[in-house]
Amino acid sequence: MSVRVRYAPSPTGSPHVGNIRTALYNHLFAKRFGGVNILRFEDTDRSRHRPETEVDLIESLRFVGVEWQEGMEVGGPHAPYRQSERKEAGIYQTFIDRLVESGAAYWAFDTPDELDEMRLFQQVNKLPTGYFGGDWREASAAKVEEARAAGRPGVLRLRIPRGEKIVFEDAIRGRLEFEGDTVDDPVLIKADGMPTYHFAAMVDDHLMGITNIFRGEEWISSAPKHVVLWRALGVEPPVLVHLPVIKGRDGSKLSKRHGDTSCLDFRKAGYLGDALANFIALIGWAPGGDREVMSMEEMAEAFDLKGIQPSSGIFDLDKLNWMQGARLRALPVAEVRERFVEYAGREETASYWQAKSEEDPTAAGRLADILLLREAAQSDPDHAEAMIALEQERVGSLADFGPACRFFLEDPTEYEEKALKKWQGRPEVLDLLVRLAAALEGRESATDADCEALIRGLASDLGHEKLGPVVHPVRLALTGKSVGPGLWELMAVLGPAAMRRRLAAAVEAFA
Ligand code: GLU
């Protein structure tokens, strides 16, 4: 049987890291086995539905490189793929009829007050909470008919077998057993006629021929209900793969407290979709060997249920930054420039850093730096590539190129305090800066090798055995900083005119 999987989000919010991991595993599993991945929107809970997040969902999937061959936007043999439309199309009706006819489900007409009372009674008496039958599980056909004739709103509930165990397999956890007496009778169809997740998702999984369900472990407690439902419908259950939760480094469930967790926030912060995909896929999945930095193709080749860890995965931002750095370094510089320009030009980038700057004053400066480099990258791509190439080794994200490259584009207005103290008021340093400026006089350009020769020449003219007493003050004078890319390389990128200007300013500042 060929593999068919689905990512079936409810558009209730922008997808976060956990959702995206589920989406990635569906993608990788389908790729690995030459199967089909389906994107289905589960929007039957109208009170929580936020239609605008459908766009976020699609954008997030495209950003990390998840592909689907059937479903939203692409269509397919099981269209429509939005559950509210499937309901309208009457797709679920025959299943409702079958369940009612066989007695596997029953109509219940409890009022909200009655349900509240039931819950209170259960809580006070320390009983499992939920609907375990009430007045309706065993109600006669006549009583049901009477309620219906009186126009009382009713819901369809699944009849969970009592006094027996519900047993099934989970691909990660193995055999699981639930006492039927502890599983409440879930609503399948709400009073407004809308199917619930339990019903619509499982019927759709059946209709769409889903072979494996990847979903978060928060659904484990619902799995016995789904197993009962599939059995009632006489269908073969798909393989269940419940994925452990993702935790922060402090061991608590990943949440907003841990910083950005929504997929699109990472895009706004300057992460590369492929690095993010690599990082998220490896939270709780071990590809074997000590492989870590992997392309989507490599991950798809290695993807295997056996590698999924049963314990919760840890979201380690340092690891993401490291992976992202590795990926940035591996890209050709022209591509980095292109990706940077695209990033810097997105409206969301500006609004992200603007919003950040309300808590963090450095964020506003970062945005200005990003825009400055964007302008340079558009007006003089070669020059910008030269800067980017030098910083590519050092930055962690696309957004970091802004602050990292700023010194190329703007003459320093201040100098690192500690370093300045060291070199300030020393005649031999001023002499050095003046000599370097003189040596650059009349030059239009200088290569790395020219700059190296200049610095070495000055060191020997000034009787220094080592380069340090020349390199350090020159770096400070030219960049305002004590660390950065190699001096000759950065000098070549700055060019003689900028260097002369900066040296003249430094002679004043260092005096
Ligand atoms: N619609 C459910 C959710 O968004 C999907 C759960 C599942 O994959 O079965 O969480």
Side-chain angles (χ1 to χ4, degrees):
M1 189 167 47
S2 72
V3 159
R4 289 178 61 84
V5 289
R6 87 305 195 264
Y7 177 53
S10 301
T12 55
S14 202
H16 54 76
V17 172
N19 307 127
I20 292 301
R21 184 182 59 175
T22 305
L24 279 165
Y25 287 0
N26 279 304
H27 167 81
L28 294 172
F29 195 70
K31 279 255 175 272
R32 166 81 164 78
F33 295 104
V36 168
N37 185 23
I38 298 174
L39 176 63
R40 183 173 77 213
F41 280 166
E42 303 199 326
D43 62 342
T44 58
D45 185 347
R46 302 311 281 176
S47 61
R48 292 175 62 231
H49 184 226
R50 286 176 46 210
E52 71 283 5
T53 62
E54 292 191 358
V55 178
D56 283 11
L57 274 159
I58 299 225
E59 287 269 296
S60 298
L61 297 178
R62 298 229 159 103
F63 175 54
V64 295
V66 166
E67 292 162 9
W68 59 100
Q69 296 72 36
E70 258 186 53
M72 296 306 304
E73 305 235 314
V74 296
H78 300 283
Y81 290 90
R82 193 185 271 111
Q83 283 181 332
S84 57
E85 291 170 20
R86 297 175 65 72
K87 191 244 161 202
E88 282 314 305
I91 288 170
Y92 301 123
Q93 194 55 48
T94 55
F95 295 91
I96 298 175
D97 296 343
R98 258 160 72 184
L99 292 171
V100 174
E101 268 159 36
S102 69
Y106 62 94
W107 291 102
F109 297 86
D110 308 81
T111 64
D113 283 351
E114 284 168 345
L115 292 174
D116 284 348
E117 216 173 284
M118 178 186 283
R119 185 167 307 111
L120 195 65
F121 177 84
Q122 289 166 338
Q123 281 164 351
V124 169
N125 292 287
K126 304 211 167 2
L127 296 167
T129 50
Y131 198 90
F132 290 88
D135 289 340
W136 297 97
R137 185 171 156 126
E138 306 305 337
S140 66
K143 185 173 166 182
V144 170
E145 210 26 66
E146 195 184 315
R148 191 180 288 289
R152 289 177 64 175
V155 299
L156 186 69
R157 287 184 182 271
L158 181 65
R159 192 185 299 275
I160 300 289
R162 305 286 170 225
E164 56 184 77
K165 287 186 192 333
I166 304 166
V167 183
F168 56 91
E169 289 284 321
D170 175 87
I172 298 174
R173 288 168 178 73
R175 184 184 150 97
L176 295 175
E177 275 187 21
F178 285 77
E179 289 298 339
D181 290 350
T182 63
V183 180
D184 63 335
D185 291 355
V187 172
L188 301 179
I189 304 295
K190 287 180 274 189
D192 62 3
M194 262 305 186
T196 59
Y197 160 71
H198 296 305
F199 178 79
M202 302 314 125
V203 168
D204 283 347
D205 287 344
H206 159 59
L207 289 174
M208 295 179 184
I210 299 303
T211 54
N212 301 71
I213 295 183
F214 289 85
R215 63 183 181 188
E217 71 179 5
E218 66 276 18
W219 294 110
I220 284 196
S221 59
S222 299
K225 299 172 183 173
H226 302 160
V227 169
V228 170
L229 179 58
W230 283 316
R231 283 183 194 150
L233 292 172
V235 305
E236 189 62 36
V239 175
L240 290 170
V241 191
H242 287 103
L243 304 168
V245 290
I246 298 180
K247 293 186 172 172
R249 270 203 301 205
D250 59 359
S252 66
K253 191 167 184 261
L254 196 63
S255 71
K256 225 28 202 162
R257 271 187 316 111
H258 297 96
D260 290 334
T261 53
S262 113
C263 177
L264 292 181
D265 278 348
F266 286 100
R267 184 172 79 179
K268 297 173 196 170
Y271 286 90
L272 303 173
D274 36 18
L276 187 65
N278 184 183
F279 167 70
I280 293 179
L282 262 57
I283 304 179
W285 167 56
D290 49 11
R291 284 186 293 176
E292 287 204 298
V293 177
M294 297 169 85
S295 67
M296 194 66 105
E297 289 68 35
E298 288 165 337
M299 290 197 288
E301 256 169 53
F303 195 74
D304 180 351
L305 295 182
K306 285 195 217 71
I308 299 177
Q309 310 298 306
S311 53
S312 52
I314 302 293
F315 179 88
D316 180 350
L317 196 60
D318 290 341
K319 184 163 171 185
L320 169 58
N321 290 336
W322 168 77
M323 280 185 155
Q324 154 108 348
R327 199 161 292 255
L328 269 176
R329 281 181 263 302
L331 289 176
V333 64
E335 186 176 340
V336 179
R337 179 184 53 78
E338 271 165 35
R339 289 210 194 191
F340 173 81
V341 169
E342 193 203 336
Y343 167 68
R346 275 196 219 112
E347 206 280 316
E348 64 174 26
T349 304
S351 42
Y352 176 83
W353 290 108
Q354 259 147 16
K356 280 263 172 223
S357 61
E358 279 161 29
E359 322 139 20
D360 169 8
T362 63
R366 178 183 287 258
L367 176 59
D369 295 344
I370 290 171
L371 298 177
L372 184 70
L373 179 60
R374 175 179 179 236
E375 213 181 282
Q378 283 171 327
S379 60
D380 190 348
D382 291 343
H383 191 216
E385 271 178 27
M387 299 169 206
I388 289 173
L390 293 187
E391 292 298 340
Q392 202 174 347
E393 291 301 314
R394 309 156 47 79
V395 299
S397 73
L398 291 174
D400 288 347
F401 279 109
C405 291
R406 180 196 191 103
F407 78 90
F408 286 115
L409 297 163
E410 267 185 6
D411 291 357
T413 49
E414 48 192 36
Y415 302 88
E416 244 173 58
E417 212 180 301
K418 215 171 127 206
L420 183 61
K421 276 213 181 94
K422 183 161 180 199
W423 305 111
Q424 210 169 23
R426 290 171 57 171
E428 77 280 14
V429 170
L430 298 178
D431 178 37
L432 160 70
L433 301 182
V434 170
R435 281 174 186 248
L436 178 57
L440 291 164
E441 207 55 59
R443 296 187 79 128
E444 298 249 315
S445 67
T447 63
D448 296 5
D450 296 339
C451 296
E452 179 175 0
L454 268 176
I455 294 294
R456 289 192 187 278
L458 277 172
S460 92
D461 292 352
L462 295 169
H464 294 298
E465 269 180 31
K466 293 200 169 140
L467 291 178
V470 175
V471 164
H472 300 309
V474 168
R475 175 189 293 284
L476 187 69
L478 293 177
T479 68
K481 302 198 270 187
S482 60
V483 287
L487 184 63
W488 356 118
E489 289 87 354
L490 80 84
M491 288 173 76
V493 175
L494 281 174
M499 286 196 278
R500 284 197 300 270
R501 205 172 54 233
R502 290 179 184 204
L503 289 165
V507 168
E508 307 247 312
F510 289 19

